[in-house]
Amino acid sequence: MLQQHSISIQTQGRATIDISAEVERLVSASAIDCGLCHVFIQHTSASLIITENADGNVRRDLETYLSRLVIDGDPAYLHDEEGPDDMAAHIRSVLTQTEVTIPIRDARLALGTWQGLFLWEHRYHAHRRSILITLSGADI
Amino acid sequence: MLQQHSISIQTQGRATIDISAEVERLVSASAIDCGLCHVFIQHTSASLIITENADGNVRRDLETYLSRLVIDGDPAYLHDEEGPDDMAAHIRSVLTQTEVTIPIRDARLALGTWQGLFLWEHRYHAHRRSILITLSGADI
Amino acid sequence: MLQQHSISIQTQGRATIDISAEVERLVSASAIDCGLCHVFIQHTSASLIITENADGNVRRDLETYLSRLVIDGDPAYLHDEEGPDDMAAHIRSVLTQTEVTIPIRDARLALGTWQGLFLWEHRYHAHRRSILITLSGADI
């Protein structure tokens, strides 16, 4: 069994968005019992992370940390046509993930209890982001 | 051929643990000749890396580097209920890998000569960590 | 359908090299219509990234950024037998990717418009780098 789905997520500017439930729905609908779920974001200024899903402060702290590690509008950047968040967004993407694979077990995403899958928009402004999801495995 | 295995690794606090041999054993037992081995850690305060397997100083230096890059107990962290290593562990996980896929070739993990697969415990205290391994490919 | 290919890329020292076209050629030749393309570099001092493919300044800025984040020849490094870029290369690899999976859709790599796949050589000198590519999916 092999399935591919394209979804699009509307962001509201720099922030993380929990997409676990949306991906889980595709897994449930697929009738795959055991296998893999591959999630790929087709952009270089937004990325994916798996992190703690319970306390929103974790994602606030991640943003605080990353915006300190990767300075917006650093005068060293040559690539700055689209503003101070342009090159910073590309760096932030490279330091996190463009794609993740999550196991499917018992017809569900096998995330740990405290794990969620998040899209991280790195640009200041809202964007529509395309994600391609490929499910493979053995049927129920 | 598709197989899924759950293993658990006991850590002794912040350090790296070579899990290459344990994963290789599952590959050998699977009778898969050519394919992929997906390794997924079901936690957000421990992670996976592939790095140099010969000189233990490489992993000592990685720890020195990462503990300087991600300050334990940074007063900027809001998420600090479980101590100074709590939020630092989540950041360290996001900057490394929650999951890796390694090719299977000639019925073995196709790691390079100097590559090993390591679990990196980011918390100070010992933890039991769950890892889900999904093997897929063509039989011998 | 499952295929595995080994390719080797000659680097000229620290720099990024666009390998998208080379990987795309293998996808085209495979006759896989829908599936996944897994790319694995068998080294710990060179790595892979997906980033912006249009403006070369993006990769210049990534190099500026990473060489500032990971200091060559830091006196804190114990592993320095092969020079100031030795341990820095291992750290740079761990902060980026050893392997990436890209969806195959309509018999092509489903990279976004602005995405390219790059090998990042982290050593100062030229090296021959081995990459293992595993293609899986459904035939046309």
Side-chain angles (χ1 to χ4, degrees):
Chain A
M1 160 78 79
L2 177 70
Q3 285 190 6
Q4 209 165 58
H5 302 274
S6 177
I7 66 173
S8 105
I9 305 284
Q10 179 65 48
T11 71
Q12 305 298 334
R14 187 174 284 182
T16 53
I17 299 174
D18 192 336
I19 61 169
S20 314
E22 191 140 359
V23 176
E24 181 79 61
R25 267 194 295 276
L26 294 173
V27 171
S28 298
S30 75
I32 293 175
D33 184 51
C34 174
L36 295 169
C37 171
H38 179 254
V39 185
F40 184 85
I41 187 163
Q42 293 182 301
H43 304 275
T44 63
S45 56
S47 62
L48 301 171
I49 56 167
I50 291 174
T51 194
E52 213 264 19
N53 61 2
D55 178 8
N57 280 339
V58 169
R59 276 160 293 127
R60 269 179 222 110
D61 289 349
L62 283 172
E63 177 54 47
T64 301
Y65 177 81
L66 200 56
S67 62
R68 218 169 48 185
L69 189 69
V70 183
I71 303 299
D72 289 340
D74 191 312
Y77 303 152
L78 303 173
H79 178 86
D80 58 4
E81 293 78 359
E82 296 182 18
D85 58 332
D86 185 354
M87 188 59 216
H90 295 310
I91 297 172
R92 293 162 59 114
S93 291
V94 163
L95 292 177
T96 52
Q97 310 300 324
T98 292
E99 49 91 25
V100 302
T101 302
I102 301 170
I104 300 171
R105 190 175 180 87
D106 299 332
R108 293 181 52 85
L109 281 182
L111 290 167
T113 311
W114 307 105
Q115 286 182 315
L117 173 64
F118 299 86
L119 184 162
W120 200 341
E121 174 61 69
H122 298 301
R123 300 302 308 270
Y124 296 158
H125 294 297
H127 284 79
R128 184 157 282 279
R129 300 304 195 172
S130 298
I131 292 177
L132 207 50
I133 295 164
T134 306
L135 307 171
S136 61
D139 294 14
I140 293 171
Chain B
M1 160 79 78
L2 177 70
Q3 285 190 7
Q4 209 165 58
H5 303 272
S6 178
I7 65 173
S8 106
I9 305 283
Q10 179 65 47
T11 71
Q12 305 298 335
R14 188 174 284 183
T16 53
I17 298 174
D18 193 336
I19 61 168
S20 314
E22 190 139 359
V23 176
E24 181 79 61
R25 268 194 294 277
L26 294 173
V27 171
S28 298
S30 75
I32 293 174
D33 184 51
C34 174
L36 294 170
C37 170
H38 179 255
V39 185
F40 183 85
I41 187 163
Q42 294 182 301
H43 304 275
T44 64
S45 56
S47 63
L48 301 171
I49 56 167
I50 291 174
T51 194
E52 213 264 20
N53 61 3
D55 178 8
N57 280 339
V58 169
R59 276 160 293 126
R60 269 179 222 109
D61 288 349
L62 283 172
E63 177 54 47
T64 301
Y65 176 82
L66 200 55
S67 63
R68 218 168 47 183
L69 189 69
V70 183
I71 303 299
D72 289 340
D74 191 312
Y77 302 151
L78 303 173
H79 179 85
D80 58 6
E81 292 79 359
E82 296 182 18
D85 58 333
D86 184 355
M87 188 60 216
H90 295 309
I91 298 173
R92 293 163 60 115
S93 291
V94 163
L95 293 177
T96 54
Q97 310 300 325
T98 293
E99 48 92 24
V100 302
T101 302
I102 301 170
I104 300 171
R105 190 173 178 86
D106 299 332
R108 292 181 52 87
L109 281 181
L111 289 167
T113 311
W114 307 106
Q115 287 182 314
L117 174 64
F118 299 86
L119 185 162
W120 201 341
E121 174 60 69
H122 299 300
R123 301 301 307 271
Y124 296 158
H125 294 298
H127 283 79
R128 184 157 282 280
R129 300 303 195 174
S130 298
I131 292 178
L132 207 50
I133 295 164
T134 308
L135 307 170
S136 62
D139 293 13
I140 293 171
Chain C
M1 161 79 78
L2 177 71
Q3 285 189 6
Q4 209 165 59
H5 302 273
S6 177
I7 65 173
S8 105
I9 305 283
Q10 179 65 48
T11 72
Q12 305 299 335
R14 188 174 283 182
T16 53
I17 298 174
D18 193 336
I19 61 169
S20 314
E22 190 139 359
V23 176
E24 181 78 61
R25 267 194 295 278
L26 294 173
V27 172
S28 298
S30 75
I32 293 174
D33 185 50
C34 174
L36 295 170
C37 171
H38 179 254
V39 185
F40 184 84
I41 187 163
Q42 293 182 301
H43 304 274
T44 63
S45 57
S47 63
L48 301 171
I49 56 167
I50 291 173
T51 194
E52 214 264 19
N53 59 3
D55 178 8
N57 280 338
V58 169
R59 276 160 294 127
R60 270 180 221 109
D61 289 348
L62 283 171
E63 178 54 47
T64 301
Y65 177 82
L66 201 55
S67 62
R68 218 168 48 184
L69 189 68
V70 183
I71 303 300
D72 289 342
D74 190 312
Y77 302 152
L78 303 173
H79 178 85
D80 58 6
E81 292 79 359
E82 297 181 16
D85 58 332
D86 184 355
M87 188 59 216
H90 294 310
I91 297 172
R92 292 162 60 114
S93 290
V94 163
L95 292 177
T96 52
Q97 309 301 324
T98 292
E99 49 91 25
V100 301
T101 302
I102 301 171
I104 300 170
R105 190 176 178 85
D106 300 331
R108 292 181 52 86
L109 280 182
L111 289 167
T113 310
W114 308 105
Q115 287 182 315
L117 174 64
F118 299 86
L119 184 162
W120 201 340
E121 173 62 68
H122 298 300
R123 300 300 308 270
Y124 295 158
H125 294 298
H127 284 78
R128 184 157 281 280
R129 300 304 196 173
S130 298
I131 293 178
L132 207 50
I133 295 164
T134 307
L135 308 171
S136 62
D139 294 13
I140 292 171

